[in-house]
Amino acid sequence: MIKNKKLNTQDINIFKEGTFITKTPHETRNLGKSFATVLKAGVIVFLKGELGSGKTTFTQGIVKAFGNKGFARSSSFMLVNEYKANNVKLFHLDLYKLEPSNVWDIGIEEYIYSNNISIIEWADRIVDFKNDSHWNVEISNMYSKRKIKIKKKK
Ligand SMILES: Nc1ncnc2c1ncn2[C@@H]1O[C@H](COP(=O)(O)OP(=O)(O)OP(=O)(O)O)[C@@H](O)[C@H]1O
Ligand SMILES: [Mg+2]
């Protein structure tokens, strides 16, 4: 277990393959904030985990890391939230309501292949993903704690 406050945020290697335990939403937000250091133009992040596992909470940390005042809101109503991330855009997509069969019909490629940054909740809905390079963030519930597995894919 790595305590968030001890993370060296300059060292992105800790995120290339790591498992983190957070005890509170605040810690999850802070982990998202630290993870944001790996994000640059063209990066795609898949967020996976059951309902209420903390995907949006993690995203809130990312959104905040880039100095955005607004918070990423939790799912349902809006499919895409747009923020800024230095000189590019940060897209927060939520695919919860989509069926895997029509996930490509709504034009998500316009976001994820736009050379901006895309954070995708319920990325399990995406099938036939052509671009191998992305980050996988999988959150699982352990009572009040969360286990957050982060891995860079290619
Ligand atoms: N360690 C923790 N990290 C994150 N959230 C936690 C933690 N402990 C408890 N929680 C609670 O779990 C919930 C996480 O909600 P959040 O909206 O981030 O989940 P989500 O994965 O985005 O859900 P959904 O699939 O519905 O979009 C919040 O109510 C939060 O307070
Ligand atoms: Mg959510």
Side-chain angles (χ1 to χ4, degrees), residues 12 35-45 62 66 83-91 111-119 131 133-135 152:
I12 70 164
F35 174 73
T37 53
V38 313
L39 302 177
K40 52 184 181 2
V43 172
I44 301 166
V45 180
I62 294 174
F66 289 106
Y83 304 93
K84 61 179 172 55
N86 299 329
N87 52 346
V88 294
K89 290 173 184 166
L90 172 69
F91 297 121
Y111 296 100
I112 67 178
Y113 299 136
S114 67
N115 213 32
N116 288 287
I117 297 168
S118 298
I119 316 292
N131 185 349
S133 176
H134 63 284
W135 292 77
K152 186 171 193 310

Side-chain angles (χ1 to χ4, degrees), residues 10-154:
Q10 299 306 306
D11 179 13
I12 70 164
N13 288 318
I14 60 165
F15 293 119
K16 285 197 173 146
E17 183 155 15
T19 301
F20 307 87
I21 307 289
T22 63
K23 292 199 224 77
T24 60
H26 180 71
E27 284 188 6
T28 300
R29 229 171 270 124
N30 274 345
L31 186 64
K33 210 168 164 185
S34 303
F35 174 73
T37 53
V38 313
L39 302 177
K40 52 184 181 2
V43 172
I44 301 166
V45 180
F46 281 12
L47 284 179
K48 299 174 183 176
E50 61 191 74
L51 276 169
S53 56
K55 300 178 294 299
T56 299
T57 306
F58 186 85
T59 306
Q60 286 171 349
I62 294 174
V63 167
K64 213 173 157 190
F66 289 106
N68 293 281
K69 298 225 173 66
F71 259 172
R73 278 177 220 294
S74 210
S75 66
S76 310
F77 302 110
M78 206 179 288
L79 190 67
V80 184
N81 284 302
E82 186 181 320
Y83 304 93
K84 61 179 172 55
N86 299 329
N87 52 346
V88 294
K89 290 173 184 166
L90 172 69
F91 297 121
H92 172 212
L93 289 88
D94 193 311
L95 308 182
Y96 180 64
K97 290 197 161 171
L98 298 177
E99 295 294 332
S101 55
N102 61 18
V103 88
W104 292 108
D105 298 343
I106 57 142
I108 61 169
E109 63 272 25
E110 283 171 30
Y111 296 100
I112 67 178
Y113 299 136
S114 67
N115 213 32
N116 288 287
I117 297 168
S118 298
I119 316 292
I120 311 172
E121 273 191 59
W122 290 99
D124 347 36
R125 303 281 193 266
I126 300 180
V127 287
D128 301 331
F129 184 57
K130 300 286 189 291
N131 185 349
D132 285 334
S133 176
H134 63 284
W135 292 77
N136 220 23
V137 178
E138 283 189 49
I139 310 182
S140 39
N141 291 29
M142 299 194 319
Y143 301 98
S144 62
K145 295 181 190 166
R146 299 293 189 270
K147 184 163 88 180
I148 304 176
K149 279 175 70 179
I150 300 180
K151 188 166 183 189
K152 186 171 193 310
K153 305 272 186 174
K154 296 205 179 154

